[in-house]
Amino acid sequence: MIELRPERLIPQNFQNSSLEMTNKDTFTNHLNRINSAPAWLLDLKRASWDKFVSTSMPKHTDDTWRFTNTKNLNLDKYHQISDIKSIKKESFEEQSNQLNLISGKIVFVDDHQCRDTEFDTELKEKGVIWTTLEDAFLNHRDLIKKYVTGKLPNLGAEKFGSLHHSLMTNGIFLYIPQGIEIDLPFTVYNWTSTMGMAVFPHTIIITDKYAKVNLVSFFKSMEPNIQNLAISCSNIYAGIGSQITFTAIQDWNLKTQSYHLNTANADQDANIKNININVGSAYMRHEHHTQMFGLGSKTDTYSLSLTTGEQEFDQRSLQTHSAPNTNSDLLFKNTLLDSSRTIFSGLIRVNENAQKTDAYQTNRNLLLSESAEANSLPGLEILADDVKCSHGATSGRLDDNQIFYLLSRGITKKTAQQLMVFGFLEEIIDKLDNQDLANRVRDIIRKKLPK
Amino acid sequence: MDSLEIKNLNVTIENKKILDDFSLTLPKGEVHALMGPNGSGKSTLAKTLAGHPDYSVVAGESLVDGKNMIGLSPDEIARSGMFMAFQYPSEISGVSIANFIRAAITARLQKDEELQATQYYKQLYEKMDLLKMDRKFTSRSINSGFSGGEKKRCEILQMMMLKPKYAVLDETDSGLDIDALRIVADGVNKMRSPDIGILVITHYHRLLSYIVPDKVHVIYNGQIVQSGDKELAFELDKKGYDWIKNESVTSL
Ligand SMILES: Nc1ncnc2c1ncn2[C@@H]1O[C@H](COP(=O)(O)OP(=O)(O)O)[C@@H](O)[C@H]1O
Ligand SMILES: [Mg+2]
C-alpha cells in the first residue's frame, strides 16, 4: 500500500524536528517515508530534487526576476513535518465553509486531509473523480501517472517548482468524464497551522470532451503570525470542447512566503477561465502559463490583488498560442497601499502556425500611496502574421480632485478609499459569476483595508 | 436669522491673491446669483467654501448658521450642511452613482441609524424622474462618459438627495442645451424652500430667467462690486461685463 501521510510513517521523536529545505536529509527522509510510492513517482521526485539542488537561488539580475527583492527569498527556516493531531478540528471546520452550494469539498491542514471528502454521490456515479492525490496514487494509478509529470510554467521559479515536486505529498485530483457538465463548484481548502511548516499543495483538473467544471481553491493560514513556505502547483487540462473555471483565493497570512505556479492547457475549442484573488503573503510569486494548443481554444486569465504594508507580489505570465483561431485574454489589476510593491511581467507568444489569433494582455495598477511601487513589463512575441494582439499597462495614482469630489459629499477619507478600491476591483469580482463567492471576496478585501 | 455668512474672505493660490476681502450673506430661504467674468474668482469661492486643500484662506470666515467652516475638512464641511455643484465634476470609474450617494447619506446618519434600502431607492428614483434621468444611471460610474448635461443633472440629483442647508451651484448652466437647462432649473426650483439657501454662480443671465434670484451680486477681481435685485442681471447682459469693469474703475 502506498502511504504518503508523513505522520503515520515517521517515528514519534522525529516529529516537529526542524529541517532546512536545502539540507539533503530533508529529501532522504521524505523518500524513506514514501518508499512504497510507485516507482515512476519516486523517479520524478529524485529528478526534481536533483534539479532543485543544481539550480541556484534567483538573483535580481536574472531576467525572470527583474524588480524582485530576491534577497527576501529563502528556504532555510522551514520544515515539512509536523504532528497535526494537536489541531482542534472545530477551528478549521467552521472556517472551511465559505460556500454553501457546492459539488464537493476537501480540506487539508498542513498538507494532510483532515476530514472526509465531501462529494455529491450522483456525480460519483457518473464517473466523476474528486479525490486527494494520496488516494489517486492508490486508486487511479494509470490516470494519475499521465498528469503528475512535474510540469511547471517555467517562468523563472523552477527551483521552487522542483522543490514542490520533490517534496509534495498531497493535493487534489479532479476528473470530469465526457459530456458531464457540473455547475456547482468543487472547493478545496489549504490551511497552514504550524510554525515553520512548508506546504506543497498540488492541483490537477482534467476535463474530457465537452465536460464542464468549476473549482475554487482557498489558501489560508490558521494563525496570523506563523511563518510558512507555500509552494503550490496546479496543472489544468481542458479536453476538446470542455470548460474549466479555476479560482484561487490566495489569502495566506502576511508572514507567508508563497509560490503559485500554474499551467492551463486548452485543447480544441476548450475554454479555460482562471481567476486569481491575491491578498495574503509577505512575498508571493505567481507564475501563470496558459497554452492554447488546440484549434479554436480560448483562455481568460484574471487577477486582482490588494497589497499593504511591505508586501511584494511578483506576477509573471505567459500566453502561448500554438494553434490557429485561438483566443486569450488576460487582465491583472493591482491595488497598492503603503509601501507595498507589485511586479507584473507578461508575454504573449504566438507561434508561426497560430494564425487568426486574438490575444490581449492588460495590467492596471491603482496606487493609493506615494510610497507604493508598481512595475509593469508587458511583452509580445509574434511569429504569425495574421493576428490581433494588444497589450497595455497603466498605473494611476488616485488624483486629488477625485478624492476632493468624494469628500465634498460628506464621505470620509476611509470610505472614499473603500469606494475607490471596490470601484477598481469590481471588474474582476464580477468575473467570479457566483454571488456567494463574490461576497466572500468582498469581505476579504474589506477586512484588509485600513479601518 | 440662519444664514451662510461669508466674511472678509481672502484666498490665495500659489501665493496669488484671488479673493480679496470677499463678503456675502445668503439668508436661508433665499436664492442669490453670483455673476462675473471668467477668471474673476467664482470657482475659487465655491471650492474654498467646500474646503478644497489647494486654496489657502489667509483671512476671513465662512459661517454656516454661525459655525465657521474654515479649517474643517471637506467631508466635515459637507456634513455640516454645505453642498457644492461642481463646474467640472470629476469622473470616477468603478464607483456607481447609487453606491456613491448611499455612502454620502450613510455618512450623515447617527450611529444607531440605518439606511433603508427600499426607502433609499424610492427617493432616488423619484428625484431621477424629476430630472428625467434614466434609471440605468444608478449603476453607471460617477460621471464616466457622461455628456455635459448628464453631469450637471447628476450634480443636482446629489443635491436633492443630500438636502443641504446651503448650496453653491458653480456654472451649472454652462454647456447645457435649452431642454437640459430647463430640467436642471426645474430641479433647483423644486428645491427652493425656507430650509435652504442657494447661491447660483453663472456668467450668463440665461439661467436666471428660469431660476429667478432674490438678489444678484457681481464679482470682479475677487471682490463684490455690485449687488442688486434680479434686474441687475439683465442690465449686465445688455451692457456686458465691460460696463462693470469701467464702473469698478470709476468707483475707485
Ligand atoms: N488651481 C489653480 N491654480 C492656479 N491658478 C488658479 C487655480 N484656480 C484658479 N486659478 C486662478 O484664479 C483666478 C480665478 O479663477 P476661477 O476662480 O476659476 O475663476 P472663475 O470661476 O470666475 O472663472 C484665475 O486667474 C485662475 O487662473
Ligand atoms: Mg469657474
Side-chain angles (χ1 to χ4, degrees), chain B residues 38-39 42-44 87-88 170-171 201:
Chain B
N38 270 329
K42 302 184 296 296
S43 293
T44 300
Q87 180 173 4
Y88 304 109
D170 192 3
E171 303 223 16
I201 295 177

Side-chain angles (χ1 to χ4, degrees), chain A residues 385-401:
Chain A
D385 46 32
D386 183 14
V387 301
K388 260 198 277 181
C389 286
S390 80
H391 66 167
T394 56
S395 286
R397 283 181 206 275
L398 193 50
D399 104 45
D400 289 344
N401 283 319

Side-chain angles (χ1 to χ4, degrees), chain A residues 23-257:
Chain A
N23 186 326
K24 82 173 191 302
D25 292 342
T26 304
F27 187 60
T28 316
N29 290 323
H30 174 74
L31 280 190
N32 286 339
R33 290 196 303 278
I34 61 157
N35 57 11
S36 53
W40 65 266
L41 182 61
L42 296 174
D43 288 346
L44 172 69
K45 281 175 169 288
R46 279 189 207 99
S48 299
W49 181 259
D50 288 345
K51 175 110 193 264
F52 168 68
V53 172
S54 64
T55 310
S56 51
M57 281 296 272
K59 291 178 288 296
H60 74 277
T61 46
D62 297 346
D63 236 17
T64 51
W65 294 87
R66 276 186 72 190
F67 298 115
T68 310
N69 273 322
T70 45
K71 62 179 189 317
N72 293 340
L73 314 180
N74 77 75
L75 297 168
D76 296 334
K77 53 186 180 198
Y78 305 98
H79 60 87
Q80 196 189 9
I81 306 143
S82 76
D83 180 3
I84 62 143
K85 285 169 198 115
S86 61
I87 298 164
K88 273 222 235 55
K89 232 182 157 170
E90 310 81 70
S91 55
F92 63 84
E93 276 284 327
E94 170 188 333
Q95 293 180 73
S96 305
N97 251 330
Q98 302 286 315
L99 297 178
N100 293 323
L101 295 170
I102 53 170
S103 294
K105 174 157 84 178
I106 289 176
V107 180
F108 295 109
V109 178
D110 295 341
D111 278 344
H112 301 71
Q113 191 182 20
C114 281
R115 68 200 291 289
D116 292 341
T117 300
E118 261 182 49
F119 190 12
D120 183 338
T121 45
E122 229 174 86
L123 296 174
K124 196 173 189 167
E125 280 156 19
K126 287 181 181 162
V128 174
I129 301 172
W130 164 244
T131 190
T132 63
L133 274 193
E134 199 179 20
D135 173 68
F137 286 130
L138 266 180
N139 298 315
H140 303 283
R141 287 175 170 235
D142 297 334
L143 198 55
I144 193 90
K145 187 178 169 183
K146 281 208 313 227
Y147 295 102
V148 176
T149 57
K151 190 179 174 81
L152 289 170
N154 289 327
L155 298 175
E158 287 73 67
K159 185 171 181 74
F160 305 94
S162 304
L163 184 63
H164 170 99
H165 288 291
S166 38
L167 297 180
M168 65 112 167
T169 55
N170 226 333
I172 62 108
F173 182 63
L174 177 56
Y175 168 81
I176 316 296
Q178 183 167 342
I180 307 290
E181 296 185 27
I182 306 167
D183 286 319
L184 293 181
F186 288 89
T187 54
V188 54
Y189 294 82
N190 298 282
W191 290 99
T192 52
S193 82
T194 310
M195 184 68 179
M197 181 80 185
V199 293
F200 305 96
H202 197 88
T203 303
I204 300 171
I205 311 173
I206 302 139
T207 44
D208 210 326
K209 283 179 199 153
Y210 314 114
K212 179 181 166 194
V213 74
N214 181 348
L215 173 73
V216 183
S217 205
F218 293 89
F219 299 92
K220 290 161 87 72
S221 312
M222 211 80 88
E223 310 283 342
N225 288 315
I226 51 176
Q227 296 183 4
N228 298 106
L229 171 70
I231 306 178
S232 156
C233 283
S234 75
N235 297 119
I236 294 176
Y237 303 89
I240 294 173
S242 70
Q243 224 175 305
I244 296 178
T245 304
F246 176 42
T247 305
I249 315 258
Q250 188 274 98
D251 189 20
W252 301 117
N253 72 13
L254 298 177
K255 309 268 180 187
T256 299
Q257 187 185 158

Side-chain angles (χ1 to χ4, degrees), chain A residues 298-432:
Chain A
K298 177 173 192 293
T299 66
D300 296 306
T301 308
Y302 304 112
S303 167
L304 77 74
S305 82
L306 174 62
T307 50
T308 58
E310 311 259 294
Q311 277 184 293
E312 179 172 308
F313 283 7
D314 187 2
Q315 306 159 323
R316 315 275 164 164
S317 79
L318 173 61
Q319 294 149 265
T320 302
H321 291 258
S322 46
N325 287 93
T326 48
N327 186 313
S328 73
D329 188 20
L330 178 144
L331 174 62
F332 275 43
K333 289 188 124 179
N334 297 320
T335 321
L336 298 90
L337 280 82
D338 308 328
S339 306
S340 60
R341 302 178 77 236
T342 61
I343 300 143
F344 171 82
S345 166
L347 184 66
I348 296 176
R349 180 180 289 148
V350 181
N351 292 347
E352 273 158 68
N353 64 328
Q355 300 294 0
K356 306 274 181 208
T357 283
D358 265 10
Y360 304 96
Q361 179 206 89
T362 312
N363 168 223
R364 296 198 194 289
N365 304 305
L366 175 67
L367 294 100
L368 295 170
S369 127
E370 285 293 319
S371 43
E373 179 193 316
N375 304 281
S376 216
L377 294 161
L380 298 175
E381 194 181 295
I382 298 172
L383 302 174
D385 46 32
D386 183 14
V387 301
K388 260 198 277 181
C389 286
S390 80
H391 66 167
T394 56
S395 286
R397 283 181 206 275
L398 193 50
D399 104 45
D400 289 344
N401 283 319
Q402 291 174 315
I403 298 176
F404 178 66
Y405 188 80
L406 296 168
L407 298 188
S408 78
R409 300 310 184 224
I411 292 166
T412 60
K413 235 186 178 132
K414 268 153 204 169
T415 308
Q417 197 171 54
Q418 231 185 58
L419 283 171
M420 289 300 310
V421 168
F422 279 107
F424 181 66
L425 296 179
E426 209 47 62
E427 184 181 4
I428 305 289
I429 297 174
D430 225 37
K431 310 278 186 199
L432 290 167

Side-chain angles (χ1 to χ4, degrees), chain A residues 400-409, chain B residues 43 46-47 50 52 74 83-90 100 143 148 151-152 154-156 158 168-174:
Chain A
D400 289 344
N401 283 319
Q402 291 174 315
I403 298 176
F404 178 66
Y405 188 80
L406 296 168
L407 298 188
S408 78
R409 300 310 184 224
Chain B
S43 293
K47 287 193 219 169
H52 196 294
F83 179 89
M84 173 184 44
F86 285 71
Q87 180 173 4
Y88 304 109
S90 291
F100 174 46
N143 298 323
K151 281 184 187 170
K152 297 303 170 79
C154 185
E155 295 290 291
I156 301 301
Q158 293 171 46
V168 178
L169 313 184
D170 192 3
E171 303 223 16
T172 300
D173 52 338
S174 62

